[in-house]
Amino acid sequence: MASTSDNTKSQYHHFVPRFILKNFAHPFKPQSDAPKGTSKRGRRKKKGGYYPGEPMLYTINLAGNTAEVVEAPVSKTLGMTDMYRDFTDAKNQHSLEEQLSKLECRVGVIIRKILKAFEAGEKDIWITRPERDILRKFLFIMKYRGLGHHKRFFHESRESYSLEDKERLLKYMREKGYKKPLDVWFDNIKAMLEMKMDPEQKWKDWLLKHAYPDDAMWFIAHSQMMYLALCTPSDKNGEFLLTENAYNIFEGPETTSINADTNQPESQVYTEFHCFSVISPKLIIVLRSFMLPIPEEDANDAIRASRKRWFELCAAQHMEPLKASSILRDLPITKARNSYSELVNGRLVLLDNEDGVPRSHDRFCFRFFPISTQHTDKINSIMLEQSAKISTIVFKTRQAARNTLETYLQMPCEVSRNIFFKNVRSAPDDPTLVVLRKFEQVAKELGSNVTAIYHEQMPRDTLEVLDRTMADKFPIEPTGFMELYQKLGDS
């Protein structure tokens, strides 16, 4: 391994923990090419090879000009060398990675408890409030620690940061004395790791004081405005993929514009209706926004009206409010039951001697929701739809991966009213078109001859010409129709 002058060795840091990857793994079986009568047990087959039984993953490698299916070791998949290494830390440059490992150990126990119940055929699993809160913390940190945010903060100077919050971030850096955006990211993760999520929710004020406020508010919204549900494919052959960015993506509307500095599309407004945390090929944690209906709560007229107002306010922020909907709105999930309330005639009511005040001894019952092939395909397709900028996808079985690719490549582009997947420009190097061609290659390697169906958009320069043409021809004085339209309210 590489090292610096202070003899601190480089380390491979996983951004998806090994205990998750091992749920997709199989033992390595070396080719039997040794002469009869010899034994190589316990030895490596060759330099750079793998031990018999070493945990391996089936992966789709998208990094090159062509895609391929590759068998890769758990030890070197979905990670980066020195990703969380703080070269300015004189005492321990890998301290952040060690803190993340401690969180992973705690969450690993909870995940194994959930998987054990699931694999035993249980219908649900009870966990405590502290267990739920540590799981919530883990799920946000998994979103925040990934490659997308590493790229967001990995700049040598403040000025090279280019996202829409640049002014706020630079102001925060000046106030706190940070030299590089990466230092902010490291300290934000440390603050989230050190924070104690107490039932009284004092942790929210603490986090706002110890982390960059924009991202602290994001953590708070993620943990307070979304609820968890456990989903499994109802089809025994159904499986979830694990894409490189699976923990970073979301389902919901997004309004973008072109960044003047980078000339690249940049998100201006987005709404996370669903986020995803794959924990095994057969089990996924879905986080759902409180803005979507919850029947047992919406039996209360005031709650239902408030939820509707939140949804409408959120939609109004988008350039096309009518498109601000969810393609997973009908996903058959609901909130966990708890130890202090019960469902009576379709309404949640508190148990006797309960006041609804959160306490550390509260318990929550999470059902394992079987979801249809259609919903499983939609979730996998959402992940594939956001794979143009990644290099690795992990899968469990070749047949399930083939079925998923075939479904995505052949599915209609309009997945919901006015919501399109597989949008490509006419340029041959369009990132979406490139990755669709790579998926075709992988599908062929897996035994399929599927060809991608995609939606071709007008080039950006063509749209600009049309806009200018319409502007030139638009009447200075309103026509009779426009006068009538304006009188009727212009809406």
Side-chain angles (χ1 to χ4, degrees):
M1 284 188 280
S3 62
T4 58
S5 57
D6 67 355
N7 293 323
T8 299
K9 293 183 177 180
S10 291
Q11 295 180 5
Y12 188 84
H13 296 163
H14 285 85
F15 51 82
V16 175
R18 291 184 188 225
F19 77 84
I20 297 290
L21 295 177
K22 286 181 178 179
N23 295 330
F24 286 81
H26 60 272
F28 177 68
K29 295 180 180 179
Q31 295 278 337
S32 181
D33 57 359
K36 290 184 178 181
T38 64
S39 174
K40 292 192 175 185
R41 182 169 305 197
R43 297 171 53 196
R44 288 193 180 272
K45 177 176 172 55
K46 60 181 180 179
K47 185 177 180 181
Y50 311 109
Y51 288 110
E54 182 171 351
M56 302 293 288
L57 298 165
Y58 293 123
T59 70
I60 299 173
N61 181 6
L62 300 171
N65 291 328
T66 59
E68 59 181 341
V69 175
V70 177
E71 192 178 28
V74 165
S75 60
K76 295 293 182 181
T77 303
L78 299 187
M80 178 188 294
T81 300
D82 292 338
M83 185 171 181
Y84 308 111
R85 183 175 179 179
D86 185 354
F87 287 90
T88 66
D89 190 331
K91 294 183 179 179
N92 184 359
Q93 295 182 0
H94 294 293
S95 62
L96 179 55
E97 169 67 7
E98 292 172 3
Q99 286 180 272
L100 286 166
S101 296
K102 291 177 181 177
L103 174 68
E104 291 167 10
C105 286
R106 294 180 63 189
V107 174
V109 173
I110 301 170
I111 295 295
R112 283 192 292 272
K113 176 180 175 180
I114 292 171
L115 283 172
K116 184 178 179 181
F118 171 70
E119 291 166 359
E122 301 291 342
K123 299 297 183 183
D124 52 45
I125 178 72
W126 284 88
I127 63 174
T128 65
R129 182 180 291 278
E131 287 175 325
R132 188 206 63 174
D133 289 347
I134 197 70
L135 187 58
R136 279 191 170 279
K137 176 191 285 194
F138 170 77
L139 295 178
F140 183 83
I141 289 177
M142 284 297 296
K143 175 187 283 284
Y144 194 70
R145 70 187 282 189
L147 285 177
H149 288 281
H150 181 268
K151 182 178 179 181
R152 170 190 171 191
F153 287 103
F154 193 71
H155 301 279
E156 289 300 320
S157 67
R158 302 172 182 173
E159 289 68 27
S160 57
Y161 187 91
S162 60
L163 295 190
E164 57 85 22
D165 66 333
K166 181 174 182 176
E167 290 186 11
R168 297 191 300 276
L169 180 67
L170 296 189
K171 180 176 181 291
Y172 178 77
M173 291 178 67
R174 287 192 296 268
E175 291 173 350
K176 300 294 184 179
Y178 289 112
K179 294 182 179 179
K180 296 186 295 185
L182 192 64
D183 299 329
V184 178
W185 188 50
F186 284 163
D187 278 2
N188 284 349
I189 296 175
K190 289 176 183 177
M192 294 169 192
L193 288 167
E194 294 168 1
M195 173 188 62
K196 308 295 183 184
M197 295 182 72
D198 58 300
E200 298 78 21
Q201 299 190 7
K202 296 176 183 177
W203 61 267
K204 292 189 286 189
D205 289 335
W206 187 93
L207 186 62
L208 285 166
K209 293 176 183 176
H210 291 82
Y212 173 48
D214 280 37
D215 293 352
M217 285 300 299
W218 186 22
F219 182 107
I220 293 168
H222 189 268
S223 61
Q224 299 286 290
M225 301 174 75
M226 305 189 90
Y227 65 87
L228 313 181
L230 299 168
C231 295
T232 182
S234 57
D235 181 353
K236 65 178 183 179
N237 296 316
E239 292 179 1
F240 296 110
L241 298 174
L242 175 59
T243 60
E244 184 178 282
N245 59 344
Y247 286 82
N248 301 89
I249 64 177
F250 65 91
E251 182 276 321
E254 183 175 21
T255 296
T256 61
S257 64
I258 302 301
N259 186 303
D261 295 328
T262 65
N263 200 34
Q264 295 297 315
E266 184 175 289
S267 179
Q268 293 299 308
V269 180
Y270 66 92
T271 303
E272 296 184 340
F273 283 132
H274 296 91
C275 296
F276 311 100
S277 298
V278 182
I279 58 177
S280 86
K282 295 292 186 180
L283 199 60
I284 188 172
I285 299 175
V286 175
L287 294 94
R288 170 172 264 188
S289 170
F290 81 105
M291 288 185 285
L292 296 178
I294 304 174
E296 61 268 32
E297 291 184 351
D298 293 344
N300 182 304
D301 292 340
I303 292 176
R304 185 175 66 255
S306 177
R307 197 186 312 281
K308 182 181 178 183
R309 283 196 299 273
W310 270 97
F311 185 94
E312 291 171 346
L313 285 170
C314 178
Q317 297 179 57
H318 290 273
M319 186 177 297
E320 299 179 86
L322 294 179
K323 290 186 180 181
S325 59
S326 171
I327 65 172
L328 290 173
R329 188 183 181 93
D330 60 347
L331 190 68
I333 60 176
T334 190
K335 294 177 74 172
R337 299 287 181 258
N338 56 57
S339 57
Y340 50 86
S341 69
E342 63 180 341
L343 198 61
V344 178
N345 296 326
R347 292 174 176 265
L348 284 174
V349 296
L350 292 172
L351 296 174
D352 293 341
N353 302 318
E354 291 286 355
D355 56 12
V357 175
R359 293 182 172 85
S360 59
H361 63 258
D362 294 335
R363 298 170 68 240
F364 299 89
C365 179
F366 289 89
R367 290 172 54 194
F368 297 111
F369 290 99
I371 61 174
S372 67
T373 299
Q374 181 185 24
H375 284 121
T376 303
D377 288 341
K378 277 187 178 181
I379 291 172
N380 280 327
S381 294
I382 288 165
M383 289 192 274
L384 292 175
E385 179 70 9
Q386 301 189 45
S387 295
K389 296 181 180 180
I390 68 172
S391 60
T392 306
I393 298 174
V394 175
F395 63 90
K396 180 65 175 178
T397 66
R398 295 173 67 91
Q399 186 61 54
R402 171 182 164 173
N403 292 345
T404 298
L405 288 172
E406 286 180 333
T407 297
Y408 174 66
L409 292 172
Q410 291 187 313
M411 68 188 290
C413 297
E414 190 169 12
V415 293
S416 185
R417 185 180 178 185
N418 296 321
I419 300 176
F420 290 85
F421 275 11
K422 300 179 290 184
N423 291 305
V424 305
R425 303 286 183 186
S426 58
D429 61 347
D430 175 80
T432 300
L433 182 58
V434 170
V435 79
L436 289 174
R437 295 299 182 224
K438 289 182 178 181
F439 287 154
E440 288 175 343
Q441 294 166 3
V442 174
K444 185 174 182 180
E445 185 176 345
L446 295 173
S448 173
N449 291 316
V450 65
T451 300
I453 298 171
Y454 54 85
H455 178 237
E456 191 166 347
Q457 296 178 310
M458 289 184 183
R460 190 178 301 146
D461 54 355
T462 302
L463 290 173
E464 290 173 353
V465 170
L466 286 173
D467 287 344
R468 287 195 297 271
T469 301
M470 290 181 67
D472 291 341
K473 295 185 176 182
F474 199 81
I476 297 175
E477 296 296 326
T479 63
F481 168 76
M482 288 302 298
E483 287 179 345
L484 176 60
Y485 179 71
Q486 291 169 352
K487 287 179 181 178
L488 291 174
D490 193 20
S491 61

